[in-house]
Amino acid sequence: MPIPKLFEGCLSLPVISAPMFLASTPTMVIENCKAGIVGTFPAANQRTSEGLEAWIIEIKSALKAYEQSTGGKVAPFGVNLIVHKTNPRVNADLDILIKHKVPLLITSLGAISDVVDAIHSYGGVVFHDVVNARHGKKAMQAGVDGLIAVSTGAGGHAGSLHPFALIQELRAFFDKTLILSGCISTGAEVAAARCLGADFAYMGTRFLATKECQINEKYKNMVVSSSAEDIIYTNAISGIPANFIKQSVTEAGFDLANLPTPDGFDIGAEMTDEEERDQNNKIIAKPWKDIWSAGQGVSGVNEIISIADLVKKLITEYQQALSIK
Ligand SMILES: Cc1cc2nc3c(=O)[nH]c(=O)nc-3n(C[C@H](O)[C@H](O)[C@H](O)COP(=O)(O)O)c2cc1C
């Protein structure tokens, strides 16, 4: 299926290293793009719009310097923007992405045609996260270039549909780029995504256990030691359904059998560094920072390695999987 020109001739593997709140950094983006896969980060990982601009400048200049010194071509990078009424920074962040002509915008929650048109005005590309065909059709009407099919078991705010069903349903009406997200942690799984009809694999959880990822060592080790049954899918933590590592949920003081009823999703509250305390003056554990997300794809994560080594490993596994006679 068609892949935007932006990605032609610069990828070593059809993989997007997915944006992860509090985890993705410019260093990860730069290492991903140097290794030939698309590097991304959420705009919200920088605490201000000015900080976001500084990160974009850092990434662009590091990639330019790398291309000049090697004569090679790096993969493009992308920024994720949560387009939701509770995100106070949407417009300011968007202005910065347009000013710096960020190659790829990944939108979550809201697909808005004005945003798509603004990115298209300089030749940028927009991919949008969806969990079902209804959201996919809305995003298609907004003019997005690609749909990210977020299936069951994915890290972060996951969907609930099986990837086979989701890809089938989206492909039935969408003939542009399809990206499959959820439990893709090995090169064989990247090949499986391609066999299903996806153009790209979207990998989050696997990149948590890399040397460059900025989450703490305990979190990384939990990703490595967990298996699929150690993951809980609940809306109790972040207000909308997401996957978290059970151990981090219980260590934050929750009873897994008796989780609280959520009172809605508020990205603005999740983005602040401010401490919240309960009536006993005890600090309330925050989703993402203290309660750690990962998908069922933890099963395929067995070691913490550098991004360069991980991409080499993924390429070998991908080629082996596709050469099976
Ligand atoms: C710790 C963590 C944080 C995430 N934060 C975001 C985010 O800020 N924005 C977003 O669009 N997706 C976010 N995601 C979802 C990923 O972008 C991606 O869809 C998902 O990780 C893919 O599934 P996998 O983890 O099974 O590979 C997050 C995932 C994880 C594990």
Side-chain angles (χ1 to χ4, degrees):
M1 286 295 155
I3 288 189
K5 271 206 161 2
L6 174 68
F7 302 99
E8 280 175 10
C10 57
L11 299 179
S12 60
L13 204 58
V15 166
I16 298 172
S17 176
M20 293 188 287
F21 188 46
L22 304 186
S24 316
T25 58
T27 307
M28 284 180 78
V29 173
I30 293 162
E31 288 308 304
N32 283 320
C33 296
K34 279 163 49 176
I37 65 167
V38 181
T40 69
F41 70 96
N45 277 8
Q46 252 293 354
R47 294 337 221 174
T48 61
S49 297
E50 294 72 31
L52 169 66
E53 181 164 32
W55 272 15
I56 291 170
I57 292 169
E58 179 186 340
I59 291 166
K60 284 179 81 168
S61 60
L63 294 179
K64 193 173 170 196
Y66 184 78
E67 283 189 331
Q68 281 169 348
S69 68
T70 60
K73 208 165 178 304
V74 298
F77 74 97
V79 177
N80 165 235
L81 202 55
I82 299 197
V83 183
H84 191 257
K85 59 183 185 310
T86 58
N87 181 354
R89 278 180 29 203
V90 174
N91 291 333
D93 286 357
L94 194 59
D95 287 347
I96 286 165
L97 304 189
I98 295 164
K99 178 177 166 193
H100 292 280
K101 300 188 174 159
V102 165
L104 169 66
L105 171 67
I106 295 169
T107 48
S108 316
L109 300 179
I112 297 170
S113 55
D114 287 352
V115 172
V116 175
D117 292 346
I119 301 295
H120 283 171
S121 70
Y122 62 83
V125 167
V126 182
F127 290 165
H128 183 73
D129 271 354
V130 297
V131 293
N132 56 39
R134 188 170 59 86
H135 291 164
K137 283 181 183 158
K138 273 193 179 170
M140 182 176 73
Q141 278 154 14
V144 302
D145 307 286
L147 294 177
I148 303 165
V150 185
S151 61
T152 186
H157 294 136
S160 57
L161 294 181
H162 190 281
F164 287 13
L166 189 53
I167 288 289
Q168 276 291 349
E169 292 195 8
L170 296 175
R171 199 40 107 201
F173 64 86
F174 190 71
D175 62 3
K176 295 187 194 168
T177 308
L178 263 190
I179 304 106
L180 181 60
S181 162
C183 304
I184 302 173
S185 295
T186 68
E189 288 154 2
V190 176
R194 296 281 290 120
C195 291
L196 265 186
D199 302 292
F200 284 100
Y202 200 67
M203 300 175 64
T205 294
R206 181 60 194 90
F207 284 84
L208 289 172
T210 57
K211 288 183 180 159
E212 292 86 351
C213 185
Q214 72 168 1
I215 60 169
N216 64 48
E217 288 304 304
K218 184 173 175 192
Y219 186 175
K220 287 184 191 180
N221 288 325
M222 233 183 246
V223 170
V224 170
S225 62
S226 294
S227 50
E229 63 185 13
D230 298 317
I231 304 299
I232 183 167
Y233 183 60
T234 176
N235 61 359
I237 309 295
S238 173
I240 44 180
N243 278 308
F244 291 94
I245 306 176
K246 285 179 185 171
Q247 188 185 338
S248 73
V249 179
T250 50
E251 286 183 7
F254 289 99
D255 173 2
L256 289 178
N258 197 14
L259 287 170
T261 308
D263 53 5
F265 173 64
D266 184 347
I267 178 69
E270 291 191 353
M271 278 162 68
T272 64
D273 284 328
E274 274 168 40
E275 269 177 19
E276 263 189 88
R277 291 176 181 265
D278 63 14
Q279 62 263 54
N280 302 319
N281 205 30
K282 201 172 151 254
I283 296 173
I284 300 172
K286 286 188 83 132
W288 316 104
K289 178 171 175 279
D290 308 304
I291 308 170
W292 298 330
S293 177
Q296 292 174 8
V298 287
S299 305
V301 186
N302 304 314
E303 58 180 343
I304 300 166
I305 51 177
S306 69
I307 287 176
D309 287 342
L310 173 59
V311 175
K312 276 186 212 147
K313 189 166 173 258
L314 292 172
I315 292 171
T316 307
E317 292 167 346
Y318 179 73
Q319 287 170 345
Q320 275 169 0
L322 290 180
S323 65
I324 292 172
K325 300 270 178 337

